[in-house]
Amino acid sequence: MNYIIGAFKPACHISITFFDGKSRKQVPSKKENGQTLMVPLFQSQENIVGKISIEPVSGKKVEHNGIKVELLGQIEMYFDKGNFYDFTSLVRELDIPGELYEQKTYPFEFSSVEMPYETYNGVNVRLRYVLKVTINRGYAGSIVEYQDFVVRNYTPPPSINNSIKMEVGIEDCLHIEFEYNKSKYHLKDVIIGKIYFLLVRIKLKNMDLEIRRRESTGSGANTHVETETLAKFELMDGAPVRGESIPIRLFLSPYELTPTYQNINNKFSVKYYLNLVLVDEEDRRYFKQQEITMLRLAETS
Amino acid sequence: MMAGVAEDEEKWLSAGITGLQQNAFYMHRALDSNNLKDALKYSAQMLSELRTSRLSPHKYYELYMRAFDELRKLEMFFKEETNRGCSIVELYELVQHAGNILPRLYLLCTVGSVYIRSKEAPAKDVLKDLIEMCRGIQHPVRGLFLRSYLSQVSRDKLPDIGSEYEGDADTAMDAVEFVLQNFTEMNKLWVRMQHQGPARDKEKREKERSELRDLVGKNLHVLGQIEGVDLDMYRETVLPRVLEQVVNCKDEIAQYYLMDCVIQVFPDEYHLQTLETLLGACPQLQPSVDIKTVLAGLMERLSNYAASSAEVLPTFFQVEAFAKLNIAIGKVIEAQDDMPIYGAVTLYASLLTFTLHVHPDRLDYVDQILGACVKKLSGKGKLDDSKATKQIVALLSAPLEKYKDIDTALKLSNYPHVMEYLDNGTNKEMSNVIIQSIMKNRTCISTAEKVEALFELIKGLIKDIDENLQDELDEEDFKEEQNSVARLIQMLYTDDTEEMMKIIHTVRKHILTGGPKRLPFTVPPFAFSALKLVRRLQSQNENVSGEEVAATPKDIFQILMQTIEALSSVPAPELALRLYLQCAEAANDCDLEPVAYEFFTQAYILYEEEISDSKAQVTSIHLIIGTLQRMHAFGVENRDTLTHKATGYSSKLLKKPDQCRAVYACSHLFWLDEHNDMKDGERVMLCLKRALRIANAAQQMANATRGSSGSVVLFIEILNKYLYFYEKGVSQITVDLIQSLIELVKQEMSGENTTPEPATDAFFASTLRYIQFQMDKGGVVADKYKPIKI
């Protein structure tokens, strides 16, 4: 079998390295096969600079019709498998058609690349950035190499960040007033708040605060909505009486959250909700869902 | 069914323990390998076992204690972790990532403890955060245990004055605030338990609650140990806040337990200074709270405190402890409408004990208490509640024991009123207690006024309270009771004759109400008491003559006459007769001839009209003779009448031997040594001769009826009388007479029909020996005896 494998072995080895690869921050990224890989992290308007080294396998010559590197921003819908929407596509020609006899290194640079959307791995949708090197070989079939990288964009702290305060209830049964200290939280934030019981006529068992992510993809009739509960945090154990006030302190850092994404390239949105759930002794659930905006603050460290 | 539940519970408990141990094992492994992440994970899982709702508090406690031990190890680990450079702040955040609240909060408290110890943040801030976060547990049992854990780990870390965690100026207040808050929340949870779950489980729930009460009470202990709680802070903050919680929770079990806790935990001195506040809370408690026990506990503590040192007494006066307690008790009784009578009485009894300790000199206080008690009892009639009765007895006994002096009790105007509410039996018992107290302390009741009061007190013994209710009292008990009254009468005494006279009037008034059953017991001591006064007056008259005396023997004799007359209603003629004779003798000593004569007359009338029993007659006649013999006040005429009567009675006795003896006894009436005008040998002789005749007749009668000659003892007795008078020099008694009588006796004794009687033989022998002895003595007497041949 060895010779067959040998026959399909790529004719050359391509490696893509970034100029500041050693110092640049790496973040984990989940690949399609489920493995997690550390990949470099960029943000919009950064220069993506590096070099591509092509090494033909053991003295074989590689004939090609030109070599190029592309920077692609893609949105992939899982229900529409195989269809990529490139919202960003930049190309740099690296070589004119010719032959490669030995290892050759090509520098490349994409300056101030506009990368408005963040890398995202959702239930039904994936947004990724990738560098794609293509050695065009006509009939022999092109040789392609990919290098993923992650983009995260940072927003400044919001100038207005009101608390969420609301009184809800079921008439003559349960009246509560809850308050979350903000409506916009950054990813490492802490939700501080309290629930005040104005009227309790049902026997409650416990109360949880859930963080739910609502991912909607597609548009119109083809809209797919997927809701995940990312956090279930117990706030209260037992049955409170009128006048009790239960504190909320939920650290967001343990959970894998992203910023809120609003209508990304008309393809998808990701929204976050705080869901306050009260459960009574008969396991009936009473809940109130409240949207919060998630945002990514520049990390100070 | 119940067994099934208990079995299940046992099963759940062991399942819980197993789960806990398993996770504890993994936790230990993580601790050993310094794996913080796993340590947190497994400790949280371990603590999840405490989330169970299936265990009763008792079993839950078992589980909790195991978790507690594990948490100590975890705390050590956290401490080491910070030493290794892990930021305590981060750790504090990290444990809060736990999704379940109960494990999260246990971990938070554990880290919090390390946090405070690290001093990276003021203790006050950490504690505040912890106590705030603990609000998340609203389940009573789990909440109580969690907060109890918080209290436990924070105990030695309060920012108390002098503690290493001391903070800024208000540091003690911060410590107090923390504990108070925890106390308040715990109490709320505890009270809430009562209202959760089905009504049919009420009893079980109350049992469970009482198992948990110490968790709540512990907070008060902690408060009591905070150095920074000085009197001011106690007065301004601690007490009002605690009481506010106690009053507002409106829960019977909690109120009772916590009030008691407050009283036991804080120093007496504080109680004394804050009495008003503390007592102010009492009427606001639920009507069903056993407030009397609480207050009784308080008063007992204060009493002991007062007794502990005289130095503290001024404080008691200064804060008007009595007035405050008194008012409070009044209010409580008013507020708790359905408080049983015995409850109220118990309160008064406690207050009384307190007063006796603190204000032994304030009789008016004691009276005030009794008055209040009367007010409460009024309109309720006699008590039939045995508990209440017991309390009243305690209430009434307390002053007696304290003062050891009935005088004091007699000054208490309300004392008898309280007694009135006792049922007859207890009333008597109480009266007995009073008398015992008097006897034991040998207290003389020395004014008529007090005597009056005393009789008012013990009137249960003095007269029948309820005529319809003829108590089926044991005869024995009745006697004992009346005997003590008799003894009491002896204690009613003063040296002041004038006052004594008044006492006698008072006593008489009361004993006359006693009815026929009591008079035989009460009249004699009264009579003797009066006669004692007569004798004193007599001796006074001799000393200070000429002075105007208010009380004269004559008056007393009048009283006596009337009083003894009352015995006729019993009837008790023999007793009356004796008393008349006693009086007669006393009158004789006072040279009051008409009075003495009158007494004798009365005695004779009784003898004639009332005393019919022959034995009684014998006794009575001898008494009469004996008394009459000593009378010297009588003129010849009166004396003649009386002696004549007496001899007459003697010879009319039924049995011959009795006749004989009475008649020879009469012989003494005619020969008084000291009075030359009362030496009538003729009549002496007459009596003796008649006696001899009767003796003869007796002998013959015996012969006739029984076929044997009767006893010769009468002859020997008469012989002795002969000898007596012979010695006294009665000329009518001659040697011949004596000689013939001796012969007669000898002859009778040697007779065929005579049954030998050793006693008689001995009597005769000793009589003869006496004669011999007198003969041998020599001198005038011997000369007299010489002629007698034996």
Side-chain angles (χ1 to χ4, degrees):
Chain A
M1 296 270 281
N2 275 345
Y3 70 97
I4 302 176
I5 293 169
F8 288 99
K9 249 183 152 176
C12 59
H13 182 77
I14 304 168
S15 74
I16 304 165
T17 50
F18 293 95
F19 161 71
D20 50 1
K22 284 202 175 119
S23 57
R24 181 162 289 278
K25 192 175 174 184
Q26 305 253 318
V27 293
S29 160
K30 216 180 247 176
K31 286 183 34 175
E32 282 147 84
N33 60 12
Q35 280 180 336
T36 311
L37 205 70
M38 294 305 281
V39 294
L41 173 68
F42 290 89
Q43 54 176 308
S44 191
Q45 305 294 337
E46 269 194 291
N47 297 332
I48 297 172
V49 186
K51 56 190 183 188
I52 293 154
S53 145
I54 301 173
E55 191 183 2
V57 179
S58 57
K60 273 187 189 170
K61 74 164 187 199
V62 176
E63 236 178 296
H64 61 84
N65 293 334
I67 302 171
K68 63 176 179 186
V69 59
E70 290 165 286
L71 190 158
L72 300 173
Q74 301 177 322
I75 293 171
E76 182 184 353
M77 316 287 256
Y78 294 152
F79 55 86
D80 195 8
K81 196 72 183 173
N83 258 335
F84 299 98
Y85 299 92
D86 293 348
F87 56 89
T88 296
S89 176
L90 301 170
V91 187
R92 294 287 181 272
E93 296 290 342
L94 295 178
D95 209 348
I96 51 165
E99 289 172 348
L100 278 177
Y101 297 96
E102 55 187 2
Q103 183 193 352
K104 193 168 179 189
T105 304
Y106 307 94
F108 69 90
E109 177 169 359
F110 300 98
S111 317
S112 308
V113 187
E114 190 74 30
M115 294 181 288
Y117 311 130
E118 288 197 343
T119 305
Y120 172 72
N121 254 312
V123 182
N124 285 325
V125 64
R126 181 162 80 140
L127 187 152
R128 72 164 189 163
Y129 288 92
V130 68
L131 282 172
K132 181 181 178 189
V133 177
T134 312
I135 302 173
N136 209 332
R137 291 208 298 177
Y139 301 112
S142 297
I143 300 169
V144 181
E145 179 67 31
Y146 296 94
Q147 170 66 51
D148 277 72
F149 64 92
V150 167
V151 172
R152 287 179 184 172
N153 289 321
Y154 304 100
T155 38
S159 51
I160 299 169
N161 197 348
N162 294 321
S163 64
I164 301 175
K165 199 171 176 180
M166 191 172 277
E167 194 183 320
V168 290
I170 309 161
E171 202 174 344
D172 292 333
C173 191
L174 179 68
H175 277 268
I176 61 171
E177 187 182 283
F178 63 83
E179 182 175 358
Y180 309 126
N181 59 335
K182 301 175 190 172
S183 49
K184 296 169 182 162
Y185 292 95
H186 64 81
L187 301 182
K188 308 284 176 208
D189 219 341
V190 191
I191 300 176
I192 306 282
K194 63 169 195 245
I195 297 106
Y196 185 72
F197 285 86
L198 297 163
L199 175 80
V200 193
R201 292 233 176 106
I202 46 177
K203 287 174 181 167
L204 291 174
K205 199 163 69 178
N206 61 348
M207 175 168 68
D208 294 335
L209 187 62
E210 294 175 343
I211 302 175
R212 288 157 73 86
R213 174 156 73 192
R214 189 166 171 276
E215 177 190 290
S216 64
T217 48
S219 56
N222 292 324
T223 308
H224 289 251
V225 177
E226 200 69 48
T227 308
E228 285 173 278
T229 301
L230 299 179
K232 190 165 181 280
F233 189 76
E234 195 182 12
L235 289 179
M236 181 185 77
D237 169 24
V241 293
R242 193 163 64 89
E244 285 294 348
S245 141
I246 308 298
I248 305 172
R249 185 190 291 153
L250 172 55
F251 290 93
L252 296 175
S253 57
Y255 308 105
E256 287 178 19
L257 307 178
T258 67
T260 298
Y261 300 136
Q262 199 68 253
N263 197 19
I264 301 298
N265 205 38
N266 282 325
K267 288 285 183 286
F268 73 98
S269 297
V270 175
K271 288 182 176 178
Y272 284 90
Y273 296 89
L274 286 179
N275 194 25
L276 186 66
V277 185
L278 295 100
V279 185
D280 72 8
E281 281 185 342
E282 269 95 52
D283 280 327
R284 276 188 296 254
R285 291 158 64 86
Y286 308 85
F287 57 87
K288 178 67 189 174
Q289 192 159 292
Q290 206 59 35
E291 190 185 350
I292 51 169
T293 305
M294 293 304 301
L295 44 93
R296 193 188 301 278
L297 285 187
E299 277 164 51
T300 45
S301 58
Chain B
M1 175 83 184
M2 284 308 284
V5 170
E7 242 167 62
D8 282 352
E9 222 192 306
E10 207 59 62
K11 222 161 59 197
W12 291 322
L13 174 62
S14 66
I17 290 173
T18 310
L20 190 138
Q21 282 170 339
Q22 219 160 41
N23 285 301
F25 171 77
Y26 289 120
M27 182 186 89
H28 288 161
R29 220 159 60 171
L31 298 186
D32 290 342
S33 54
N34 289 336
N35 186 338
L36 177 62
K37 207 177 135 217
D38 278 2
L40 291 179
K41 177 178 152 196
Y42 289 115
S43 55
Q45 279 180 21
M46 172 185 85
L47 291 165
S48 286
E49 296 295 342
L50 290 176
R51 298 175 70 208
T52 180
S53 299
R54 289 165 143 177
L55 299 178
S56 68
H58 191 68
K59 301 272 186 232
Y60 191 86
Y61 176 74
E62 213 171 298
L63 200 59
Y64 164 82
M65 281 316 291
R66 284 168 192 268
F68 184 85
D69 290 341
E70 298 300 337
L71 285 172
R72 296 268 63 75
K73 292 172 196 152
L74 192 64
E75 187 180 339
M76 290 291 293
F77 171 75
F78 286 149
K79 197 157 173 281
E80 286 161 17
E81 198 71 0
T82 57
N83 291 344
R84 279 193 288 269
C86 179
S87 147
I88 183 70
V89 182
E90 261 171 44
L91 209 51
Y92 195 70
E93 181 191 323
L94 216 49
V95 295
Q96 294 185 65
H97 294 174
N100 281 321
I101 184 160
L102 192 69
R104 178 165 79 233
L105 292 178
Y106 272 106
L107 290 175
L108 192 66
C109 291
T110 312
V111 177
S113 164
V114 180
Y115 198 176
I116 297 173
R117 206 177 292 173
S118 76
K119 295 181 189 150
E120 283 188 33
K124 136 185 160 181
D125 294 347
V126 179
L127 290 174
K128 205 170 169 187
D129 189 55
L130 290 175
I131 200 140
E132 185 59 27
M133 294 314 284
C134 281
R135 284 177 181 278
I137 307 296
Q138 293 288 322
H139 185 278
V141 175
R142 294 196 282 273
L144 280 170
F145 277 97
L146 172 70
R147 287 179 179 275
S148 164
Y149 178 70
L150 173 60
S151 161
Q152 186 74 26
V153 297
S154 62
R155 262 187 106 143
D156 53 348
K157 300 180 190 69
L158 298 175
D160 191 9
I161 287 174
S163 148
E164 56 175 313
Y165 306 104
E166 184 175 343
D168 51 18
D170 283 335
T171 189
M173 187 56 113
D174 294 331
V176 166
E177 192 61 37
F178 169 75
V179 181
L180 273 175
Q181 207 176 334
N182 205 32
F183 162 72
T184 307
E185 293 300 326
M186 282 178 87
N187 189 45
K188 280 193 201 161
L189 290 172
W190 188 43
V191 170
R192 203 185 291 170
M193 263 184 97
Q194 190 72 22
H195 310 291
Q196 289 178 352
R200 66 190 137 85
D201 290 344
K202 184 163 176 271
E203 206 169 302
K204 179 171 159 248
R205 225 167 21 241
E206 287 182 351
K207 183 179 160 277
E208 290 182 353
R209 285 194 61 203
S210 69
E211 286 171 1
L212 291 169
R213 62 182 197 177
D214 287 343
L215 297 183
V216 184
K218 211 159 174 196
N219 288 297
L220 297 179
H221 283 272
V222 174
L223 276 176
Q225 281 162 9
I226 295 179
E227 286 289 321
V229 177
D230 54 11
L231 179 58
D232 274 342
M233 190 180 292
Y234 179 75
R235 187 187 359 235
E236 302 300 325
T237 310
V238 176
L239 185 64
R241 290 274 299 277
V242 171
L243 290 180
E244 183 194 0
Q245 177 57 31
V246 172
V247 168
N248 288 346
C249 77
K250 297 199 190 319
D251 178 81
E252 179 190 345
I253 298 174
Q255 289 184 335
Y256 172 69
Y257 172 71
L258 293 176
M259 284 305 280
D260 197 43
C261 248
V262 168
I263 289 166
Q264 302 304 332
V265 162
F266 296 104
D268 300 315
E269 188 201 338
Y270 288 10
H271 290 320
L272 201 51
Q273 295 292 350
T274 55
L275 260 186
E276 214 159 356
T277 321
L278 184 61
L279 295 171
C282 292
Q284 299 177 60
L285 302 180
Q286 297 303 100
S288 50
V289 173
D290 181 12
I291 189 70
K292 65 167 193 312
T293 312
V294 172
L295 280 178
L298 173 65
M299 287 184 275
E300 193 188 325
R301 267 201 74 152
L302 291 180
S303 302
N304 291 341
Y305 181 53
S308 68
S309 151
E311 284 165 35
V312 301
L313 281 178
T315 325
F316 278 89
F317 305 144
Q318 188 199 327
V319 302
E320 295 175 324
F322 171 78
K324 285 174 183 167
L325 284 168
N326 194 18
I327 291 168
I329 287 172
K331 280 190 184 154
V332 164
I333 291 173
E334 206 175 296
Q336 299 204 343
D337 233 3
D338 46 0
M339 178 193 274
I341 285 292
Y342 91 90
V345 180
T346 309
L347 278 177
Y348 287 124
S350 310
L351 180 60
L352 190 73
T353 316
F354 169 82
T355 310
L356 293 175
H357 272 106
V358 180
H359 305 282
D361 52 333
R362 295 300 297 263
L363 266 184
D364 53 331
Y365 285 173
V366 176
D367 204 30
Q368 219 172 315
I369 297 167
L370 294 173
C373 198
V374 169
K375 217 170 113 195
K376 177 69 188 169
L377 291 168
S378 63
K380 298 260 178 16
K382 295 261 182 206
L383 283 171
D384 50 0
D385 175 355
S386 66
K387 278 197 228 160
T389 309
K390 224 169 127 190
Q391 284 301 330
I392 292 195
V393 171
L395 181 80
L396 292 172
S397 307
L400 295 181
E401 278 162 29
K402 172 71 185 177
Y403 295 114
K404 303 206 182 313
D405 174 8
I406 191 67
D407 262 19
T408 320
L410 295 179
K411 284 181 204 143
L412 304 169
S413 61
N414 284 308
Y415 199 98
H417 298 310
V418 177
M419 273 187 82
E420 270 169 34
Y421 291 97
L422 291 171
D423 62 80
N424 293 342
T426 320
N427 198 320
K428 282 183 186 167
E429 240 169 73
M430 194 61 225
S431 305
N432 265 323
V433 169
I434 294 171
I435 295 176
Q436 300 302 338
S437 157
I438 295 173
M439 302 311 294
K440 205 170 92 195
N441 301 306
R442 306 229 131 259
T443 323
C444 283
I445 315 302
S446 56
T447 69
E449 207 178 318
K450 286 182 194 164
V451 171
E452 180 76 43
L454 178 64
F455 274 107
E456 182 63 26
L457 270 189
I458 59 164
K459 64 184 172 196
L461 295 180
I462 299 303
K463 59 183 178 193
D464 291 326
I465 290 172
D466 191 348
E467 310 235 331
N468 309 332
L469 209 139
Q470 270 306 327
D471 36 7
E472 54 286 350
L473 190 69
D474 196 273
E475 197 65 23
E476 201 77 357
D477 287 352
F478 181 77
K479 271 188 189 158
E480 202 172 305
E481 196 182 284
Q482 293 306 316
N483 278 331
S484 48
V485 175
R487 292 222 294 280
L488 175 69
I489 291 173
Q490 303 290 347
M491 298 307 292
L492 313 176
Y493 175 81
T494 173
D495 286 331
D496 178 355
T497 49
E498 212 167 308
E499 191 61 36
M500 189 62 203
M501 191 61 200
K502 286 189 198 153
I503 291 178
I504 283 174
H505 274 293
T506 316
V507 173
R508 174 173 174 274
K509 186 178 84 192
H510 285 282
I511 63 170
L512 285 181
T513 60
K517 275 176 81 182
R518 289 185 183 78
L519 286 174
F521 293 93
T522 48
V523 171
F526 166 75
F528 285 105
S529 178
L531 290 177
K532 216 172 181 180
L533 177 61
V534 169
R535 300 211 185 269
R536 280 225 316 282
L537 286 171
Q538 184 65 14
S539 59
Q540 261 182 13
N541 272 355
E542 280 165 18
N543 295 340
V544 275
S545 51
E547 208 176 306
E548 199 63 36
V549 207
T552 65
K554 228 173 178 167
D555 301 335
I556 298 170
F557 284 125
Q558 258 170 34
I559 296 166
L560 280 168
M561 180 65 78
Q562 293 158 10
T563 313
I564 299 169
E565 247 170 32
L567 283 174
S568 64
S569 65
V570 179
E574 292 160 63
L575 180 62
L577 183 129
R578 281 166 191 266
L579 293 174
Y580 281 137
L581 293 177
Q582 285 289 347
C583 295
E585 199 174 343
N588 173 63
D589 292 346
C590 298
D591 273 327
L592 294 168
E593 187 187 355
V595 177
Y597 188 81
E598 180 58 22
F599 277 117
F600 257 97
T601 315
Q602 291 299 332
Y604 280 19
I605 293 171
L606 277 179
Y607 182 83
E608 285 174 7
E609 295 177 358
E610 306 284 344
I611 301 177
S612 50
D613 177 70
S614 59
K615 255 194 193 146
Q617 281 180 342
V618 174
T619 320
S620 304
I621 197 71
H622 280 285
L623 282 169
I624 291 173
I625 295 166
T627 314
L628 191 54
Q629 199 267 343
R630 286 195 292 278
M631 293 290 162
H632 51 75
F634 289 136
V636 179
E637 201 175 317
N638 279 341
R639 191 176 169 80
D640 263 2
T641 318
L642 293 174
T643 49
H644 185 254
K645 271 278 183 195
T647 42
Y649 296 150
S650 304
S651 54
K652 279 188 202 104
L653 287 170
L654 179 64
K655 289 198 242 167
K656 289 292 175 193
D658 291 340
Q659 266 182 28
C660 169
R661 286 186 176 116
V663 169
Y664 70 62
C666 284
S667 63
H668 288 286
L669 295 175
F670 306 105
W671 196 274
L672 270 68
D673 277 347
E674 306 84 22
H675 300 273
N676 284 329
D677 53 341
M678 269 183 254
K679 288 184 175 156
D680 188 344
E682 281 294 326
R683 293 176 76 174
V684 170
M685 198 54 220
L686 223 60
C687 284
L688 292 178
K689 274 192 172 151
R690 193 189 288 172
L692 209 53
R693 257 202 319 276
I694 300 168
N696 261 322
Q699 194 80 336
Q700 279 160 17
M701 242 160 82
N703 259 330
T705 52
R706 264 167 275 160
S708 72
S709 59
S711 170
V712 288
V713 75
L714 287 173
F715 293 114
I716 307 170
E717 284 169 19
I718 295 167
L719 173 61
N720 275 287
K721 292 286 164 202
Y722 273 24
L723 291 175
Y724 172 81
F725 287 111
Y726 181 62
E727 248 178 70
K728 292 283 175 199
V730 179
S731 54
Q732 282 78 359
I733 310 287
T734 61
V735 176
D736 291 347
L737 276 174
I738 295 171
Q739 196 65 53
S740 62
L741 193 51
I742 292 172
E743 293 310 318
L744 176 69
V745 173
K746 280 182 175 168
Q747 187 189 332
E748 288 286 332
M749 284 173 77
S750 58
E752 283 165 25
N753 296 339
T754 320
T755 39
E757 283 173 79
T760 316
D761 292 350
F763 185 24
F764 186 56
S766 58
T767 310
L768 294 183
R769 218 168 29 247
Y770 174 75
I771 298 170
Q772 188 63 52
F773 173 75
Q774 295 294 62
M775 281 179 188
D776 296 347
K777 226 157 72 170
V780 188
V781 185
D783 292 345
K784 262 194 142 176
Y785 275 92
K786 280 277 163 58
I788 303 173
K789 279 181 238 130
I790 48 175

